[in-house]
Amino acid sequence: MEQASFGIAEETCRAHRIVVSGEGEGAVLATTVPLSFWGGLNPHTGEIVDGHHPLCGSHVSGRVLVMPLGRGSSSASGVLLEAIVNERAPSAILLSKVDEIIALGAIAAQEIFARHIPLLVLDADTFEKALRAAYAKVKADGSVILQQQSLSSADMMGDLQLSERDRSLLAGAEGPARQTAMRILVRMAELQGAPCFLDIQKAHIDGCIYTGEASLHFAELLADLGGQVCVPTTMNAISIDQRRWRELGVDPDWAAMADRLAQAYVRMGAKPTFTCAPYQLPGSPVFGEQIAWAESNAVVFANSVLGARTNRYGDLMDICAALTGRVPYAGYHLDENRRGTVLVELPDLGPVDSSFYPVLGYLIGGRVDTGVPVIAGLTGKPTPDDLKMLGAAAATSGAVALFHVVGVTPEAASLEEAFGGAEPQEVWKVTRDELADAWRRLSTARSGQIELVALGNPHFSSDEFRQLAELTKNKRKHSDVEVLITTSRHVHEEAMRSSAAEEIERFGARVITDTCFCMLQAPVIPEQARTLMTNSAKYAHYAPGLVGRDIYFASLADCVQSAVAGQPVISQPSWLA
């Protein structure tokens, strides 16, 4: 466990007595109250379970435990031995007095199992310094490097103001996982120039997508340190369909790693919702609610359509926010950063269909990047799914985290409200030619056939299931075309109750839950499927790079017709005519 490098003063001391030599380091878990390991420490989890002890609920695993001595039962030596063998013991123990029972457990581990947990006795002055230390390194020669971290804003964080709880988190009072998370958050707050932290009410974890051993180690470390989320926390789509990965032919070793990552977050208290569209779940955020969501489409939907407030939180920071319930007071949490920057004036297009919104979003994202577009001149009333597809596309081609649609989204009842009374930094009069160009660029395929239709990126909603059921009624897909739909378990269960899922399955489509197309590879995407079709601008953008396939972008209705025909059937939208 690495100590953050800011605001640290180191002092090297020597032990008064070396009971068991060895090397170990970690965040300090300190107490002036003696602890009995018997009845006080769970050797299988490393949690202090003595309800009468001030450290109850903390985890000793991987930490340097500083305490005067033990107390209570003589069985404490056996408990410590179990914890050492289970790798749930402290990385080192620093005492103010020799404790024979604690020493026995450490000595037995060394002699029988060759496990070395340094156990040192400190003199009174060094022990007092160790109690105040944030981090400690124990060397084999008995030297102890104590790192004192200043908690004053002047010494450590410039102008960043910390609450009492922030200070407590940094000092490790709520355990090492939250301490580690808070260290990361402090450094990010400095980077953002935040004046302080604020409380959040909800979090959404995107880091549960398996990208390799580092992401797994990060999550399991926090879980093993006893990390527990302190706000309601949902989880993004993961890398496998937990219930179907075997029948889908996924490699068992890879599936096991992906599942371990998901379970690490579940162990920390995150709900196994496994969806990239958490706004479709019950209890989604409400207007004005401060949240910490990761996953680009979820961020832009929460900010724009729900009117909740979140920054574009990346993997790793999402769990830090969930563990602490705190985020830097910066970015889209602030009123001034939610005002529009670019006025997007649409031409008179007449009636538009659902394919218009992802094209418009893709066009906007590529132009405004991190700006806040304000869309004016939209005909008709877009559905939540239309806005979902618009936002997902804008967050893909650019870094849009918030958009306003005049007369539609909650912070844009008028142009004046959308811009906060200020003038736009730019006025962009969109042309039909620009829309046509974006529509064409979303298709990279040129062949006269398709082998797979990909629907549900972001996850299919209940309304989209009903719409698709109507489009597929009394139809059957071509035998050479695979139709896959990704969605959450929650939405799939709703679709099954309404019979929409049954109608779609009769058509020949298959539903995959828990994961999403941005995570799907071979063999779920069959090797023989060289050309794909989708109604998602997000997947049309990513698929060529993610799975090495050419792709057609089309409306949902054209996706169905193409699946039936076994070849691309794409009609030019009326709004481009």
Side-chain angles (χ1 to χ4, degrees):
M1 186 178 187
E2 293 292 326
Q3 169 77 353
S5 61
F6 50 84
I8 291 173
E10 287 190 350
E11 182 176 359
T12 301
C13 310
R14 293 199 64 83
H16 173 68
R17 183 171 182 179
I18 303 172
V19 179
V20 175
S21 64
E23 295 192 345
E25 63 179 285
V28 168
L29 181 64
T31 179
T32 58
V33 180
L35 172 68
S36 171
F37 289 155
W38 172 261
L41 176 68
N42 184 329
H44 303 290
T45 65
E47 181 180 3
I48 295 175
V49 294
D50 181 355
H52 302 285
H53 199 277
L55 292 182
C56 182
S58 299
H59 284 68
V60 302
S61 307
R63 306 190 72 179
V64 175
L65 179 61
V66 179
M67 66 179 188
L69 71 167
R71 66 179 180 186
S73 174
S74 57
S75 296
S77 54
V79 174
L80 177 58
L81 177 64
E82 289 288 345
I84 293 171
V85 172
N86 291 334
E87 298 183 347
R88 292 293 181 267
S91 59
I93 300 175
L94 306 180
L95 304 175
S96 64
K97 297 179 181 179
V98 174
D99 187 303
E100 295 177 3
I101 292 174
I102 292 176
L104 176 60
I107 290 169
Q110 184 181 36
E111 293 293 331
I112 306 300
F113 296 100
R115 302 289 183 89
H116 296 252
I117 301 298
L119 178 60
L120 308 182
V121 178
L122 308 180
D123 60 37
D125 182 57
T126 304
F127 183 75
E128 286 298 319
K129 293 175 180 177
L131 287 173
R132 298 192 300 271
Y135 198 85
K137 298 179 181 180
V138 177
K139 300 296 186 180
D141 63 359
S143 60
V144 181
I145 302 172
L146 299 175
Q147 296 180 345
Q148 306 287 351
Q149 180 175 293
S150 168
L151 294 179
S152 69
S153 59
D155 291 341
M156 186 174 70
M157 278 127 335
D159 296 328
L160 179 62
Q161 300 297 311
L162 299 180
S163 69
E164 287 302 315
R165 181 163 178 265
D166 295 335
R167 297 172 186 271
S168 176
L169 286 164
L170 279 172
E174 295 187 26
R178 288 181 180 173
Q179 184 183 41
T180 301
M182 196 64 194
R183 291 187 199 280
I184 294 171
L185 291 171
V186 165
R187 298 188 70 173
M188 292 302 297
E190 288 184 303
L191 187 66
Q192 295 172 315
C196 60
F197 288 92
L198 58 83
D199 288 330
I200 56 167
Q201 283 73 53
K202 292 180 176 68
H204 181 68
I205 305 299
D206 187 53
C208 50
I209 300 167
Y210 181 66
T211 56
E213 292 186 10
S215 61
L216 175 60
H217 176 73
F218 177 85
E220 290 191 329
L221 173 65
L222 292 176
D224 291 344
L225 288 175
Q228 286 293 299
V229 302
C230 63
V231 295
T233 302
T234 51
M235 289 175 64
N236 200 47
I238 58 176
S239 299
I240 55 170
D241 183 328
Q242 281 193 331
R243 298 176 294 184
R244 302 177 182 89
W245 66 265
R246 290 178 182 83
E247 67 184 74
L248 292 170
V250 176
D251 176 70
D253 292 336
W254 192 86
M257 300 293 274
D259 188 61
R260 272 178 58 188
L261 178 62
Q263 291 309 315
Y265 285 101
V266 173
R267 282 163 54 199
M268 287 188 276
K271 298 176 183 176
T273 49
F274 302 153
T275 179
C276 58
Y279 41 83
Q280 296 172 353
L281 300 172
S284 62
V286 298
F287 181 82
E289 196 169 27
Q290 301 283 6
I291 63 174
W293 274 17
E295 162 50 48
S296 60
N297 101 84
V299 167
V300 71
F301 193 95
N303 276 324
S304 311
V305 184
L306 302 180
R309 299 188 168 206
T310 179
N311 279 330
R312 294 174 62 245
Y313 290 111
D315 297 4
L316 311 182
M317 193 167 175
D318 47 13
I319 187 61
C320 292
L323 290 171
T324 62
R326 303 285 278 170
V327 294
Y329 188 39
Y332 297 102
H333 293 289
L334 299 171
D335 288 344
E336 57 266 30
N337 293 330
R338 299 181 67 83
R339 297 168 186 158
T341 59
V342 180
L343 176 58
V344 181
E345 292 186 344
L346 299 178
D348 182 7
L349 299 170
V352 297
D353 66 352
S354 61
S355 70
F356 167 75
Y357 296 95
V359 172
L360 176 63
Y362 197 70
L363 176 63
I364 288 174
R367 171 73 176 263
V368 308
D369 196 18
T370 59
V372 179
V374 177
I375 303 167
L378 189 65
T379 56
K381 185 172 177 59
T383 67
D385 286 317
D386 292 334
L387 297 175
K388 172 188 77 173
M389 299 301 260
L390 189 160
T396 297
S397 60
V400 175
L402 168 65
F403 66 84
H404 301 296
V405 180
V406 178
V408 175
T409 54
E411 296 173 71
S414 64
L415 270 177
E416 183 179 15
E417 181 184 35
F419 285 101
E423 292 296 316
Q425 297 173 16
E426 179 187 354
V427 176
W428 172 24
K429 296 182 181 294
V430 176
T431 67
R432 199 182 302 266
D433 285 344
E434 288 176 307
L435 288 166
D437 180 64
W439 179 73
R440 284 191 295 267
R441 284 188 290 115
L442 284 168
S443 292
T444 58
R446 297 294 179 266
S447 70
Q449 60 187 35
I450 61 168
E451 290 83 26
L452 188 147
V453 173
L455 304 173
N457 190 344
H459 272 172
F460 235 41
S461 70
S462 295
D463 285 342
E464 286 173 311
F465 267 108
R466 285 190 284 271
Q467 184 182 359
L468 183 59
E470 285 297 316
L471 290 170
T472 58
K473 194 171 184 178
N474 300 322
K475 295 185 177 74
R476 178 73 185 177
K477 74 172 184 66
H478 195 283
S479 59
D480 293 338
V481 178
E482 182 85 78
V483 179
L484 296 180
I485 304 163
T486 59
T487 191
S488 67
R489 297 186 190 189
H490 171 76
V491 168
H492 188 218
E493 288 165 3
E494 284 189 341
M496 289 191 293
R497 286 194 294 270
S498 71
S499 77
E502 183 180 353
E503 184 68 49
I504 291 166
E505 288 171 3
R506 273 199 296 267
F507 171 72
R510 288 195 296 162
V511 175
I512 297 175
T513 60
D514 302 346
T515 189
C516 189
F517 276 102
C518 285
M519 281 74 86
L520 293 181
Q521 299 286 330
V524 183
I525 305 294
E527 288 294 342
Q528 65 271 22
R530 304 311 305 170
T531 305
L532 316 182
M533 179 176 279
T534 185
N535 69 331
S536 163
K538 178 176 182 177
Y539 192 57
H541 176 89
Y542 284 128
L546 288 174
V547 293
R549 306 296 202 277
D550 289 327
I551 198 157
Y552 284 109
F553 171 80
S555 67
L556 183 61
D558 283 351
C559 284
V560 171
Q561 290 192 57
S562 299
V564 172
Q567 59 186 14
V569 179
I570 303 175
S571 53
Q572 185 182 50
S574 61
W575 44 271
L576 287 181

